[in-house]
Amino acid sequence: MTQKLRERADVLALLAAEAERVRGGSGRLVLLRGATGTGRTAVLEAAAEHAADLGIRVLRARCSPRETDVPLSTVGQFFAPALGFAFPEPGDGGRLWQTLCAYAAEGPVLLAVDDIHLADDASRHWLVEAARRVDRLALLLVVTERSQYDIEPPPAGLTHTLSPSLVRTRTIAPLGDDAATGLVRAARPLAGAAWTADCVRAAAGSPLLLHALLDDLHGIPQQPVPDTCAALYPGAYPAAVAWWLENAGPATAEVARVLAALEQTWAPDSDPDPADLLAEAAGADPDRVTGWLTAMTRIGLLRPDAAGRRRYAHPLLRDAVLSNWPAARRQAAHRTAAQAMLRRGARVEAVARQLLRAGPVGLPWALRVLRDAATLAVDEGRPEAAVGYLRRALDEPLPDGLRQRLLTELGSLEYVSAGAASAIARLAEALHLPAEPRDRVRTAVALGTALAGRGEVRTAMRMLRRTEGGLAGHPGLARTMQTASALLSDHDQGQRREAYRWLSEAAERSPERVGTAGQALLVRYAATAGLISARDAMERVRALLAEPTDPLAEPFLLGTAAAVAQWADELDEADRLVERGLALQRLSLLHPTHHALVNTRADIAAARGDQHKLLEVLADDTGRGAAAGPSNADAHRVLALVHTGRPAQARRVADGFDLSRAPDNWELNRFLYARGVLRAAEGDGPGALHDFLECGRRQAAREVVSPVVTPWRTAVAEIRLAAGLTREAVALAEEELRLARVWDTPRTVGRALRVLGAATGGRRGRELAAEAVRVLREAPGTDLELIPALIAQGRQFMAAGERSHARDVLREAAERAERTGAVRWGTLAGAALRESGARRAATPGTGSGALTVSERRIARLAADGRTNTEIADLLHLARRTVETHLTSAYRKLRIRRRAELRDALERAGAPGAGGGGETAVPG
């Protein structure tokens, strides 16, 4: 028999042998079993064609579910052409048997019956009786029977009462991947490997599905195989899947569809799917469902994923199974699954994902699950997921008060994930719903934050004042609105002056009128205006923190206190205040103090001087979803990239903003200062001067004169000094030092002393430089200011001819720069060292600069994934030598595991590890 079918050689050989046997006068029954779509009919047609070629008379019958109630309708198909009737009479079985015997007497006969499981009872009985006598006639019966595992147990098969000696049974297995790949390549010779593999998965071992899919994808092998049937035309594939479901029966089709629906809700890390959950959602026998899952996995329609769950072999197959399933039934399945999972103690988000696709439940448990899932998603830094849960929660029947709170939470989250427009719409809707005064305040604060963030500060102020006007009899809540107005006024110069003027006047008349949070804002204002020392500011803030505070006002107090503590270099205390403040936020991400606290966290990391740690903190900053201009985090990012020797990356960040369209807020001032530092590092003195002066002008307009915020005066002084304008540089540095001594922290005073010393020069300059180093050295965490102070002192020593002293302090500067990752300062320290006459670069004890050439080469190979043996072979070294070099590299890079090598080398900018070159830290 010529083989035209793939992976069917054994069954075709059997049929060929049985055909030869019947020509010898002895017959047999051959039963071809298999799942729907595996090609039973194709094998039967091949057998009939081969028999006809051998001169065997072939009589065909194809069973249909529409004729199962018509007696002898299947048998009648054998003889209809010769006897001239479509359906025999019920009593014609004997006459038909005699006709068959007459045919067999004339020559061998093949009876080919397709889908015998659909035959009428009379025909099945007739065929069974024929099979009992088949060994005495030149008669070969070849029948196909569906043997797929279904939820409803099938009736007994054709052969269950026959002697095994009369029957040869073969199961038509699904196509293997290799055979299916061969079919695709034969039909689409130019198709790529990925496209071919996608087709094979979507066909799931079924020739029927594969041919249907190839028909739908005719002429487009370059495009990806779609995930939805809507992209298919003319729709042969979904029609084939529908035919498979119809043949499987309603119970199996229901389980198949419920599985497809539930699969859409599974997260990558979910628990494996229990069969009893699927059974409950489909209303089926759990034992039968377990068997069905096993059988479908075995034939290839389902495949286990990484979590062990049985999934459809391809999303397109899943979509086809769901096609034409009523939406109401889908929702009911998800609702039933959610209830069952809740009873079984499933994780709250797993239950909530079912509810996302279910209609309104109308019971308290559904709302509770959705809100808990939203809270969990926020805690894990996934605001987009929380938005989905809260949107779905609004579909449940809710009283106005609860709906108002949910809208406030949802608007706050949408601001972060979806943008200001949708957030403002939600919050405005919430503000117009009946609510308790405290809930109205929460909503107004969130809406004001959203409006101010979009640059509509005046609109925000008017809305907050209107809300405050409706709080008669609630003085504590009115104070909270006043505090929110003052804090949000930072986005606009004019509004800020007006807000703080009112706040100051009110506090003078009656401090309790502005509350603890308002008083803290006045401390912050005094600090930036150069009116108070750090010690006095912290005393006042600590006293305010010790007083009782309304819960709605507490975030404002903590956010303000954290900023003051950071400016005062009380970094550990500032850290604690930031964490306390953020813990109060929960779903209230849209709050003036949330962004302030996130900013302060970045300020703290920057103040500690570890630039790599700062970049990690900035990477965790989700930012403001609707921010129109650069943020404080962007300013820190530019500065950190400059300090770590990556000016090109810093330039890409800086060029990402159109400052002409940015809001006129304090964050723009910070960014201008950072861009000025970048321009100075690039050698663009005029550009840097412009940015520093513009930063200073804007700060002065906001009544911010203290260098505690941005030290623009010392930056301008350095530019002036480089241009030879010493008098202007001295004047600016002296003014900076005067203001710095008011605040009186080592960081601000030391910086001003360092620049004034450089501008003054001579003996007085050296004294100022020495004082700057002393002041900064005595304060912890000031390396980023101490390093340039040491460099400045070293240059002063060189100018005085004290080269030995110069080299000592410059080496210290280089070592500190290496330790903190301050590549820029390390480069400048190295250049100064060379000018001092140092014979060679001082090799740091740790960091990338401490690695020898061999250590660096071996570390790079290890970071690329090579084993010690491979490295030894490649470099022609002993394996022990490689191990010794790696151990030394680990120590110098301050790591413990091989997995940390790549990151350590990248942080240091080591060649071959993603950096831009070796860290330039000479000695």
Side-chain angles (χ1 to χ4, degrees):
M1 184 181 299
T2 304
Q3 181 177 343
K4 298 180 181 179
L5 303 174
R6 295 177 185 270
E7 292 188 342
R8 303 293 182 248
D10 58 338
V11 68
L12 293 175
L14 169 66
L15 291 168
E18 294 300 330
E20 292 298 332
R21 189 171 186 273
V22 76
R23 292 176 69 190
S26 179
R28 189 102 69 182
L29 168 62
V30 178
L31 176 63
L32 305 177
R33 308 179 71 209
T36 300
T38 51
R40 302 187 312 267
T41 300
V43 174
L44 181 64
E45 290 299 322
E49 181 182 345
H50 179 65
D53 290 344
L54 295 178
I56 300 173
R57 176 180 290 191
V58 178
L59 304 179
R60 291 181 171 86
R62 179 166 294 157
C63 305
S64 168
R66 291 186 295 272
E67 297 176 0
T68 54
D69 295 330
V70 181
L72 295 177
S73 58
T74 298
V75 175
Q77 295 180 52
F78 296 142
F79 307 104
L83 301 180
F85 53 76
F87 297 105
E89 295 297 325
D92 285 344
R95 183 162 63 94
L96 295 177
W97 174 250
Q98 291 174 356
T99 302
L100 179 60
C101 290
Y103 287 168
E106 295 174 3
V109 178
L110 168 65
L111 296 184
V113 186
D114 199 13
D115 290 338
I116 190 65
H117 54 283
L118 299 176
D120 60 279
D121 289 341
S123 292
R124 287 171 63 86
H125 177 73
W126 191 94
L127 289 166
V128 168
E129 292 305 314
R132 294 186 195 282
R133 300 169 176 80
V134 74
D135 58 341
R136 298 190 294 274
L137 296 173
L139 177 63
L140 175 61
L141 278 76
V142 182
V143 301
T144 69
E145 183 177 72
R146 186 176 184 276
S147 64
Q148 188 166 300
Y149 190 103
D150 292 319
I151 301 302
E152 294 176 341
L158 178 70
T159 62
H160 75 286
T161 62
L162 293 175
S163 169
S165 63
L166 300 175
V167 184
R168 292 289 182 270
T169 302
R170 288 292 184 273
T171 298
I172 309 299
L175 288 179
D177 286 353
D178 290 342
T181 298
L183 284 175
V184 175
R185 288 177 175 165
R188 303 286 190 277
L190 300 180
W195 190 89
T196 299
D198 233 12
C199 286
V200 170
R201 284 179 53 228
S206 168
L208 170 73
L209 296 184
L210 182 56
H211 289 300
L213 179 61
L214 291 173
D215 286 345
D216 283 342
L217 298 177
H218 177 68
I220 55 170
Q222 293 79 19
Q223 299 181 11
V225 175
D227 288 348
T228 63
C229 294
L232 297 178
Y233 181 81
Y237 180 84
V241 173
W243 183 76
W244 165 68
L245 291 172
E246 183 179 351
N247 277 272
T252 301
E254 185 76 358
V255 170
R257 285 167 172 148
V258 170
L259 173 62
L262 298 186
E263 180 184 316
Q264 292 178 309
T265 69
W266 288 340
D269 58 347
S270 290
D271 296 329
D273 55 299
D276 54 351
L277 174 62
L278 179 58
E280 184 168 349
D285 180 354
D287 292 336
R288 295 296 300 178
V289 170
T290 299
W292 183 81
L293 290 170
T294 302
M296 293 305 99
T297 303
R298 186 167 297 167
I299 68 174
L301 281 164
L302 304 179
R303 296 190 181 190
D305 65 7
R309 298 161 302 196
R310 271 70 66 93
R311 287 182 175 269
Y312 282 96
H314 193 277
L316 181 64
L317 176 58
R318 180 188 65 209
D319 188 69
V321 169
L322 286 173
S323 295
N324 301 318
W325 202 33
R329 185 64 196 94
R330 293 193 198 194
Q331 291 176 349
H334 288 296
R335 187 164 54 250
T336 304
Q339 289 174 298
M341 292 170 69
L342 191 63
R343 286 197 304 272
R344 290 172 170 81
R347 289 178 295 177
V348 67
E349 279 205 82
V351 180
R353 283 193 293 271
Q354 299 297 334
L355 291 175
L356 289 177
R357 295 177 179 269
V361 176
L363 295 173
W365 68 265
L367 183 61
R368 184 178 67 252
V369 165
L370 289 165
R371 296 190 72 186
D372 288 348
T375 301
L376 180 63
V378 170
D379 290 344
E380 294 180 352
R382 295 180 289 110
E384 296 84 0
V387 164
Y389 298 134
L390 290 181
R391 285 175 179 170
R392 169 62 184 81
L394 289 173
D395 294 336
E396 295 293 320
L398 301 168
D400 282 344
L402 182 53
R403 180 172 295 276
Q404 195 270 354
R405 290 195 294 275
L406 284 180
L407 282 168
T408 301
E409 294 174 2
L410 177 57
S412 299
L413 291 168
E414 284 183 331
Y415 185 81
V416 176
S417 61
S422 61
I424 290 172
R426 298 278 190 191
L427 294 167
E429 180 185 355
L431 195 61
H432 287 89
L433 285 176
E436 294 294 324
R438 300 184 73 82
D439 290 331
R440 286 210 311 276
V441 168
R442 289 189 181 95
T443 304
V445 169
L447 179 56
T449 306
L451 290 168
R454 201 166 69 167
E456 300 178 29
V457 183
R458 296 180 184 274
T459 303
M461 295 296 105
R462 286 195 298 270
M463 181 274 301
L464 291 171
R465 282 193 288 269
R466 281 198 310 270
T467 305
E468 180 188 343
L471 293 172
H474 300 278
L477 297 180
R479 285 195 295 269
T480 297
M481 297 304 297
Q482 294 158 9
T483 304
S485 297
L487 195 57
L488 289 173
S489 72
D490 282 341
H491 292 272
D492 181 272
Q493 293 179 14
Q495 294 291 317
R496 184 178 190 273
R497 285 194 298 270
E498 181 182 337
Y500 279 94
R501 186 178 303 113
W502 180 91
L503 202 62
S504 299
E505 293 172 356
E508 286 178 6
R509 292 193 300 270
S510 176
E512 63 273 8
R513 186 179 175 189
V514 299
T516 54
Q519 293 177 59
L521 280 177
L522 289 174
V523 173
R524 191 191 71 159
Y525 176 83
T528 59
L531 303 174
I532 193 173
S533 71
R535 176 178 296 179
D536 289 344
M538 288 306 300
E539 286 180 0
R540 296 186 193 182
V541 162
R542 287 168 181 147
L544 292 171
L545 288 168
E547 293 182 18
T549 304
D550 184 277
L552 285 183
E554 187 176 6
F556 294 100
L557 175 59
L558 291 172
T560 305
V564 173
Q566 183 269 314
W567 291 336
D569 279 339
E570 300 289 350
L571 301 184
D572 291 340
E573 186 171 354
D575 250 337
R576 291 192 293 271
L577 291 168
V578 166
E579 294 310 313
R580 278 181 59 191
L582 290 176
L584 293 176
Q585 298 298 312
R586 301 191 67 196
L587 295 184
S588 301
L589 295 178
L590 190 52
H591 191 284
T593 60
H594 182 271
H595 186 56
L597 288 164
V598 171
N599 275 327
T600 302
R601 184 167 58 187
D603 293 341
I604 293 167
R608 286 190 165 126
D610 188 333
Q611 300 302 299
H612 298 302
K613 179 63 176 177
L614 172 59
L615 289 172
E616 291 175 9
V617 170
L618 296 175
D620 293 336
D621 180 12
T622 56
R624 295 169 296 163
S631 67
N632 182 53
D634 296 313
H636 278 306
R637 191 172 287 110
V638 170
L639 289 172
L641 290 170
V642 170
H643 287 314
T644 54
R646 290 175 274 183
Q649 293 182 43
R651 171 52 58 191
R652 286 195 292 272
V653 175
D655 289 346
F657 298 97
D658 180 2
L659 300 192
S660 65
R661 303 176 62 182
D664 185 17
N665 57 26
W666 66 270
E667 293 186 275
L668 175 59
N669 301 351
R670 284 276 184 93
F671 189 79
L672 283 168
Y673 176 81
R675 193 176 70 173
V677 172
L678 169 62
R679 284 176 163 176
E682 292 172 331
D684 179 10
L689 184 62
H690 170 272
D691 282 345
F692 292 142
L693 288 174
E694 181 64 12
C695 171
R697 184 190 68 79
R698 289 171 177 271
Q699 287 199 180
R702 302 168 67 84
E703 300 175 327
V704 176
V705 298
S706 173
V708 71
V709 180
T710 44
W712 64 270
R713 292 181 188 82
T714 49
V716 172
E718 289 183 299
I719 298 294
R720 297 289 196 206
L721 188 60
L725 303 174
T726 305
R727 181 177 300 176
E728 291 89 336
V730 169
L732 284 165
E734 286 177 341
E735 175 65 8
E736 183 91 328
L737 180 58
R738 183 187 69 78
L739 292 167
R741 290 199 186 279
V742 172
W743 184 245
D744 200 26
T745 57
R747 193 183 307 272
T748 55
V749 173
R751 182 194 307 120
L753 285 169
R754 184 251 305 172
V755 177
L756 181 58
T760 302
R763 180 176 179 180
R764 176 58 179 157
R766 290 196 299 277
E767 291 173 352
L768 291 169
E771 186 181 356
V773 169
R774 178 184 57 76
V775 167
L776 290 167
R777 198 191 299 280
E778 291 175 356
T782 58
D783 270 355
L784 213 58
E785 295 296 342
L786 176 57
I787 295 166
L790 288 167
I791 295 173
Q793 186 182 36
R795 289 196 172 277
Q796 296 253 17
F797 279 136
M798 279 196 291
E802 300 179 29
R803 292 184 175 271
S804 176
H805 288 158
R807 285 193 288 270
D808 289 341
V809 296
L810 291 171
R811 283 196 176 95
E812 181 184 352
E815 290 168 1
R816 288 179 180 271
E818 173 69 20
R819 187 164 59 249
T820 58
V823 175
R824 178 189 178 212
W825 293 127
T827 302
L828 294 175
L833 266 170
R834 285 191 293 274
E835 292 177 31
S836 73
R839 288 180 296 177
R840 63 180 181 85
T843 303
T846 60
S848 175
L851 299 180
T852 65
V853 174
S854 296
E855 287 169 351
R856 187 183 299 278
R857 181 166 61 244
I858 290 170
R860 284 204 306 268
L861 291 171
D864 289 338
R866 298 190 184 258
T867 66
N868 290 358
T869 301
E870 291 172 340
I871 296 171
D873 292 341
L874 185 65
L875 300 180
H876 305 289
L877 298 172
R879 188 172 183 274
R880 188 171 186 82
T881 302
V882 172
E883 293 171 351
T884 301
H885 281 308
L886 275 178
T887 300
S888 178
Y890 288 176
R891 178 183 57 78
K892 293 177 180 179
L893 293 172
R894 290 179 289 180
I895 61 175
R896 296 183 178 181
R897 293 182 297 275
R898 198 184 200 94
E900 298 174 274
L901 262 176
R902 178 172 293 277
D903 287 342
L905 292 172
E906 285 179 348
R907 284 197 303 269
E918 291 190 18
T919 304
V921 184

PDB file of all heavy atoms in Angstrom, residues 32 116 188 212 215 261 273 321 425 443 492 604 632 674 723 748 847 873 892 899:
ATOM      1  N   LEU A  32     -10.621   0.580  13.709  1.00  0.00           N
ATOM      2  CA  LEU A  32      -9.709   1.723  13.802  1.00  0.00           C
ATOM      3  C   LEU A  32     -10.289   2.722  14.808  1.00  0.00           C
ATOM      4  O   LEU A  32     -11.342   3.306  14.564  1.00  0.00           O
ATOM      5  CB  LEU A  32      -9.543   2.393  12.435  1.00  0.00           C
ATOM      6  CG  LEU A  32      -9.080   1.484  11.292  1.00  0.00           C
ATOM      7  CD1 LEU A  32      -9.029   2.258   9.983  1.00  0.00           C
ATOM      8  CD2 LEU A  32      -7.729   0.860  11.605  1.00  0.00           C
ATOM      9  N   ILE A 116     -18.678   4.245  13.446  1.00  0.00           N
ATOM     10  CA  ILE A 116     -19.628   3.204  13.818  1.00  0.00           C
ATOM     11  C   ILE A 116     -20.343   3.519  15.131  1.00  0.00           C
ATOM     12  O   ILE A 116     -21.446   3.059  15.383  1.00  0.00           O
ATOM     13  CB  ILE A 116     -18.890   1.841  13.930  1.00  0.00           C
ATOM     14  CG1 ILE A 116     -19.895   0.694  14.081  1.00  0.00           C
ATOM     15  CG2 ILE A 116     -17.900   1.858  15.072  1.00  0.00           C
ATOM     16  CD1 ILE A 116     -20.770   0.495  12.885  1.00  0.00           C
ATOM     17  N   ARG A 188       3.866  24.881   3.285  1.00  0.00           N
ATOM     18  CA  ARG A 188       4.458  26.224   3.287  1.00  0.00           C
ATOM     19  C   ARG A 188       5.975  26.097   3.306  1.00  0.00           C
ATOM     20  O   ARG A 188       6.612  26.265   4.357  1.00  0.00           O
ATOM     21  CB  ARG A 188       3.996  27.019   4.511  1.00  0.00           C
ATOM     22  CG  ARG A 188       2.493  27.170   4.645  1.00  0.00           C
ATOM     23  CD  ARG A 188       1.934  28.187   3.639  1.00  0.00           C
ATOM     24  NE  ARG A 188       0.556  28.487   3.952  1.00  0.00           N
ATOM     25  CZ  ARG A 188      -0.481  27.743   3.580  1.00  0.00           C
ATOM     26  NH1 ARG A 188      -0.270  26.649   2.861  1.00  0.00           N
ATOM     27  NH2 ARG A 188      -1.716  28.089   3.896  1.00  0.00           N
ATOM     28  N   ALA A 212      -6.996  22.706   8.706  1.00  0.00           N
ATOM     29  CA  ALA A 212      -7.914  23.843   8.784  1.00  0.00           C
ATOM     30  C   ALA A 212      -7.150  25.132   9.053  1.00  0.00           C
ATOM     31  O   ALA A 212      -7.433  26.180   8.457  1.00  0.00           O
ATOM     32  CB  ALA A 212      -8.946  23.595   9.877  1.00  0.00           C
ATOM     33  N   ASP A 215      -5.356  26.307   5.997  1.00  0.00           N
ATOM     34  CA  ASP A 215      -6.296  26.928   5.061  1.00  0.00           C
ATOM     35  C   ASP A 215      -6.569  28.381   5.454  1.00  0.00           C
ATOM     36  O   ASP A 215      -6.606  29.276   4.610  1.00  0.00           O
ATOM     37  CB  ASP A 215      -7.615  26.146   5.036  1.00  0.00           C
ATOM     38  CG  ASP A 215      -7.484  24.815   4.296  1.00  0.00           C
ATOM     39  OD1 ASP A 215      -6.475  24.642   3.587  1.00  0.00           O
ATOM     40  OD2 ASP A 215      -8.368  23.959   4.451  1.00  0.00           O
ATOM     41  N   ALA A 261     -11.803  29.225  29.998  1.00  0.00           N
ATOM     42  CA  ALA A 261     -12.117  30.472  30.682  1.00  0.00           C
ATOM     43  C   ALA A 261     -11.238  30.664  31.917  1.00  0.00           C
ATOM     44  O   ALA A 261     -10.670  31.741  32.137  1.00  0.00           O
ATOM     45  CB  ALA A 261     -13.590  30.492  31.074  1.00  0.00           C
ATOM     46  N   ASP A 273      -3.859  23.760  38.883  1.00  0.00           N
ATOM     47  CA  ASP A 273      -5.322  23.755  38.871  1.00  0.00           C
ATOM     48  C   ASP A 273      -5.860  22.428  39.401  1.00  0.00           C
ATOM     49  O   ASP A 273      -5.530  21.376  38.890  1.00  0.00           O
ATOM     50  CB  ASP A 273      -5.836  23.977  37.450  1.00  0.00           C
ATOM     51  CG  ASP A 273      -5.255  22.969  36.479  1.00  0.00           C
ATOM     52  OD1 ASP A 273      -4.027  22.943  36.330  1.00  0.00           O
ATOM     53  OD2 ASP A 273      -6.035  22.185  35.906  1.00  0.00           O
ATOM     54  N   VAL A 321     -12.018  27.343  21.452  1.00  0.00           N
ATOM     55  CA  VAL A 321     -12.897  26.607  22.367  1.00  0.00           C
ATOM     56  C   VAL A 321     -13.920  27.564  22.986  1.00  0.00           C
ATOM     57  O   VAL A 321     -15.082  27.195  23.202  1.00  0.00           O
ATOM     58  CB  VAL A 321     -12.055  25.916  23.460  1.00  0.00           C
ATOM     59  CG1 VAL A 321     -12.936  25.371  24.567  1.00  0.00           C
ATOM     60  CG2 VAL A 321     -11.225  24.791  22.853  1.00  0.00           C
ATOM     61  N   ALA A 425     -11.051  62.854  36.648  1.00  0.00           N
ATOM     62  CA  ALA A 425     -12.473  62.556  36.438  1.00  0.00           C
ATOM     63  C   ALA A 425     -13.033  61.706  37.575  1.00  0.00           C
ATOM     64  O   ALA A 425     -14.128  61.965  38.086  1.00  0.00           O
ATOM     65  CB  ALA A 425     -12.653  61.843  35.099  1.00  0.00           C
ATOM     66  N   THR A 443     -10.609  63.071  49.595  1.00  0.00           N
ATOM     67  CA  THR A 443     -10.823  63.210  48.153  1.00  0.00           C
ATOM     68  C   THR A 443     -10.299  64.546  47.650  1.00  0.00           C
ATOM     69  O   THR A 443      -9.646  64.620  46.600  1.00  0.00           O
ATOM     70  CB  THR A 443     -12.322  63.081  47.834  1.00  0.00           C
ATOM     71  OG1 THR A 443     -12.806  61.839  48.342  1.00  0.00           O
ATOM     72  CG2 THR A 443     -12.558  63.137  46.342  1.00  0.00           C
ATOM     73  N   ASP A 492       3.710  76.745  42.488  1.00  0.00           N
ATOM     74  CA  ASP A 492       3.509  78.035  41.831  1.00  0.00           C
ATOM     75  C   ASP A 492       4.072  79.136  42.731  1.00  0.00           C
ATOM     76  O   ASP A 492       3.721  79.220  43.912  1.00  0.00           O
ATOM     77  CB  ASP A 492       2.015  78.258  41.581  1.00  0.00           C
ATOM     78  CG  ASP A 492       1.733  79.571  40.872  1.00  0.00           C
ATOM     79  OD1 ASP A 492       1.581  80.596  41.569  1.00  0.00           O
ATOM     80  OD2 ASP A 492       1.663  79.558  39.633  1.00  0.00           O
ATOM     81  N   ILE A 604      18.027  61.524  50.830  1.00  0.00           N
ATOM     82  CA  ILE A 604      18.818  60.859  51.876  1.00  0.00           C
ATOM     83  C   ILE A 604      19.905  59.994  51.245  1.00  0.00           C
ATOM     84  O   ILE A 604      21.071  60.016  51.663  1.00  0.00           O
ATOM     85  CB  ILE A 604      17.907  60.012  52.778  1.00  0.00           C
ATOM     86  CG1 ILE A 604      16.962  60.912  53.576  1.00  0.00           C
ATOM     87  CG2 ILE A 604      18.730  59.144  53.721  1.00  0.00           C
ATOM     88  CD1 ILE A 604      15.832  60.150  54.258  1.00  0.00           C
ATOM     89  N   ASN A 632      12.455  65.677  40.892  1.00  0.00           N
ATOM     90  CA  ASN A 632      13.627  65.644  41.751  1.00  0.00           C
ATOM     91  C   ASN A 632      14.435  64.370  41.496  1.00  0.00           C
ATOM     92  O   ASN A 632      15.663  64.381  41.516  1.00  0.00           O
ATOM     93  CB  ASN A 632      13.186  65.731  43.207  1.00  0.00           C
ATOM     94  CG  ASN A 632      14.354  65.759  44.172  1.00  0.00           C
ATOM     95  OD1 ASN A 632      15.258  66.560  44.040  1.00  0.00           O
ATOM     96  ND2 ASN A 632      14.334  64.865  45.142  1.00  0.00           N
ATOM     97  N   ALA A 674      21.085  70.407  38.377  1.00  0.00           N
ATOM     98  CA  ALA A 674      21.717  69.158  37.949  1.00  0.00           C
ATOM     99  C   ALA A 674      22.218  69.266  36.517  1.00  0.00           C
ATOM    100  O   ALA A 674      23.322  68.800  36.190  1.00  0.00           O
ATOM    101  CB  ALA A 674      20.712  68.008  38.078  1.00  0.00           C
ATOM    102  N   ALA A 723      36.701  81.316  34.876  1.00  0.00           N
ATOM    103  CA  ALA A 723      36.771  82.345  33.827  1.00  0.00           C
ATOM    104  C   ALA A 723      37.672  83.513  34.218  1.00  0.00           C
ATOM    105  O   ALA A 723      37.774  84.494  33.474  1.00  0.00           O
ATOM    106  CB  ALA A 723      35.364  82.849  33.509  1.00  0.00           C
ATOM    107  N   THR A 748      26.878  72.060  54.377  1.00  0.00           N
ATOM    108  CA  THR A 748      26.740  73.378  53.739  1.00  0.00           C
ATOM    109  C   THR A 748      27.920  74.284  54.047  1.00  0.00           C
ATOM    110  O   THR A 748      28.431  74.982  53.157  1.00  0.00           O
ATOM    111  CB  THR A 748      25.431  74.042  54.211  1.00  0.00           C
ATOM    112  OG1 THR A 748      25.417  74.082  55.646  1.00  0.00           O
ATOM    113  CG2 THR A 748      24.219  73.289  53.721  1.00  0.00           C
ATOM    114  N   GLY A 847      37.722  47.747  45.038  1.00  0.00           N
ATOM    115  CA  GLY A 847      37.083  48.291  43.856  1.00  0.00           C
ATOM    116  C   GLY A 847      37.741  47.810  42.589  1.00  0.00           C
ATOM    117  O   GLY A 847      38.774  47.131  42.582  1.00  0.00           O
ATOM    118  N   ASP A 873      41.892  26.703  30.626  1.00  0.00           N
ATOM    119  CA  ASP A 873      42.260  26.215  29.283  1.00  0.00           C
ATOM    120  C   ASP A 873      42.450  27.377  28.319  1.00  0.00           C
ATOM    121  O   ASP A 873      43.375  27.368  27.486  1.00  0.00           O
ATOM    122  CB  ASP A 873      41.172  25.272  28.760  1.00  0.00           C
ATOM    123  CG  ASP A 873      41.116  23.970  29.554  1.00  0.00           C
ATOM    124  OD1 ASP A 873      42.112  23.657  30.237  1.00  0.00           O
ATOM    125  OD2 ASP A 873      40.080  23.278  29.484  1.00  0.00           O
ATOM    126  N   LYS A 892      38.526  42.270  46.534  1.00  0.00           N
ATOM    127  CA  LYS A 892      38.677  43.660  46.131  1.00  0.00           C
ATOM    128  C   LYS A 892      37.357  44.285  45.682  1.00  0.00           C
ATOM    129  O   LYS A 892      37.133  45.482  45.872  1.00  0.00           O
ATOM    130  CB  LYS A 892      39.715  43.770  45.012  1.00  0.00           C
ATOM    131  CG  LYS A 892      41.130  43.433  45.469  1.00  0.00           C
ATOM    132  CD  LYS A 892      42.118  43.483  44.314  1.00  0.00           C
ATOM    133  CE  LYS A 892      43.542  43.136  44.791  1.00  0.00           C
ATOM    134  NZ  LYS A 892      44.490  43.154  43.655  1.00  0.00           N
ATOM    135  N   ALA A 899      27.880  34.957  41.057  1.00  0.00           N
ATOM    136  CA  ALA A 899      26.724  35.594  40.438  1.00  0.00           C
ATOM    137  C   ALA A 899      26.763  37.110  40.570  1.00  0.00           C
ATOM    138  O   ALA A 899      26.073  37.819  39.835  1.00  0.00           O
ATOM    139  CB  ALA A 899      25.437  35.051  41.056  1.00  0.00           C
TER     140      ALA A 899
END
